[in-house]
């Protein structure tokens, strides 16, 4: 059994989708990031960076429990555990890993910044909005060209953890200033991934519990000084 500590965010959805795709049994423990539950000592013990998601697998590689944080590391672990969604041949493996790292180092951080400055920032800073909106469009262009080249999925002809990692971040395309008409190949890919039953189940995990961040206290927890306190 895998214990999943998560919330309904793009990084959380990566792991939700992977667990559903692999058919692994798991228990969900919601970590309400608006209420500051990510700072609880019990959660920090398995996720020292106070970010979701994290997992505890009661049947780790040596038969003993193992805990993991960082969504990319969790995807790699689950792919290794199940032998799914990461090619076994060396070329295919590293082509998948480069697009996984592209998500971790580019798509997630940059689209997250675009979302923040366009939607959540208390002061609309034109420089920041333009910078991260333009970077979002550039990254969408990179992915659009890649899908046009492969004709199917990010790393080639097969669906992999690279697709699982990228898809949740593109679900908020409107908030990132994107017009799908500019990226037809990527939109076709998005629709293919979205149609998968496991993906549809994965994005519903904890979705009924997440509410928009409305109060100043919630915004302080997510974006204010609470993030920077030593624990």
């Amino acid at each position: 059994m895998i214990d999943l500590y998560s919330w309904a965010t793009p990084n959380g959805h990566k792991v939700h989708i992977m667990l559903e795709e692999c058919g692994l049994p798991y228990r969900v423990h919601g970590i309400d990031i608006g209420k500051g539950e990510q700072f609880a000592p019990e959660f920090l013990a398995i996720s020292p960076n106070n970010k979701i998601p994290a997992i505890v697998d009661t049947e780790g590689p040596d038969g003993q429990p193992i805990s993991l944080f960082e969504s990319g590391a969790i995807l790699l672990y689950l792919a290794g555990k199940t032998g799914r969604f990461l090619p076994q041949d060396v070329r295919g493996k590293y082509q998948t890993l480069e697009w996984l790292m592209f998500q971790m180092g580019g798509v997630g951080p940059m689209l997250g910044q675009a979302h923040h400055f366009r939607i959540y920032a208390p002061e609309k800073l034109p420089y920041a909005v333009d910078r991260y909106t333009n970077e979002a469009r550039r990254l969408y262009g990179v992915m659009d060209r890649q899908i046009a080249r492969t004709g199917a999925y990010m790393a080639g002809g097969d669906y992999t953890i690279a697709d699982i990692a990228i898809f949740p971040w593109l679900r908020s395309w409107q908030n990132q200033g994107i017009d799908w008409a500019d990226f037809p190949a990527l939109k076709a890919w998005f629709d293919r991934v979205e149609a998968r039953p496991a993906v549809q189940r994965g994005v519903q995990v904890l979705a009924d519990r997440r509410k928009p961040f409305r109060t100043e206290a919630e915004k302080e927890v997510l974006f204010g000084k609470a993030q920077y306190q030593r624990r």
Side-chain angles (χ1 to χ4, degrees):
M1 178 64 70
I2 291 176
D3 286 288
L4 168 67
Y5 299 83
S6 192
W7 199 239
T9 71
N11 282 333
H13 285 321
K14 295 181 206 174
V15 177
H16 308 168
I17 291 169
M18 184 64 170
L19 288 166
E20 290 290 338
E21 291 279 14
C22 294
L24 291 168
Y26 65 98
R27 289 182 291 250
V28 180
H29 307 270
I31 304 297
D32 190 332
I33 60 176
K35 293 181 178 178
E37 293 177 357
Q38 67 272 35
F39 304 123
E42 298 82 5
F43 182 66
L44 291 174
I46 59 173
S47 183
N49 194 35
N50 64 257
K51 305 294 183 183
I52 61 93
I55 65 168
V56 176
D57 185 356
T58 58
E59 296 183 2
D62 52 2
Q64 299 299 313
I66 183 174
S67 66
L68 291 164
F69 71 104
E70 281 295 329
S71 57
I74 296 170
L75 290 180
L76 287 168
Y77 173 76
L78 295 175
K81 181 181 179 73
T82 62
R84 302 191 67 188
F85 307 115
L86 181 62
Q88 297 300 304
D89 66 287
V90 174
R91 184 178 300 274
K93 176 181 178 180
Y94 283 102
Q95 286 174 337
T96 299
L97 290 178
E98 69 179 352
W99 287 98
L100 174 64
M101 299 305 145
F102 169 81
Q103 186 282 307
M104 300 297 295
V107 169
M110 295 298 103
L111 298 192
Q113 293 293 339
H115 197 129
H116 177 79
F117 284 108
R118 291 174 62 89
I119 305 299
Y120 290 119
E123 180 183 355
K124 296 304 180 197
L125 301 172
Y127 174 83
V129 171
D130 290 346
R131 172 179 170 81
Y132 291 109
T133 300
N134 288 335
E135 179 63 4
R137 291 172 181 158
R138 187 190 73 81
L139 291 168
Y140 272 72
V142 171
M143 293 183 283
D144 187 69
R145 291 189 294 274
Q146 174 67 0
I147 295 299
R149 186 182 70 81
T150 67
Y153 295 103
M154 283 294 163
D158 295 325
Y159 175 75
T160 69
I161 56 174
D163 303 286
I164 293 171
I166 291 170
F167 171 79
W169 280 98
L170 274 54
R171 294 178 71 228
S172 296
W173 55 274
Q174 289 176 305
N175 289 340
Q176 298 155 10
I178 297 299
D179 184 345
W180 273 131
D182 297 330
F183 309 103
L186 187 61
K187 179 59 164 65
W189 166 88
F190 183 89
D191 292 343
R192 278 194 297 277
V193 176
E194 188 177 45
R196 295 176 69 91
V199 172
Q200 295 174 13
R201 294 193 301 271
V203 297
Q204 289 305 310
V205 174
L206 294 168
D208 61 334
R209 291 187 54 188
R210 179 175 176 176
K211 302 295 187 293
F213 303 122
R214 292 191 175 95
T215 70
E216 291 305 313
E218 289 174 326
K219 293 176 183 178
E220 171 64 23
V221 166
L222 287 169
F223 311 127
K225 295 179 180 178
Q227 286 285 331
Y228 311 114
Q229 295 174 8
R230 296 190 66 177
R231 293 178 172 84

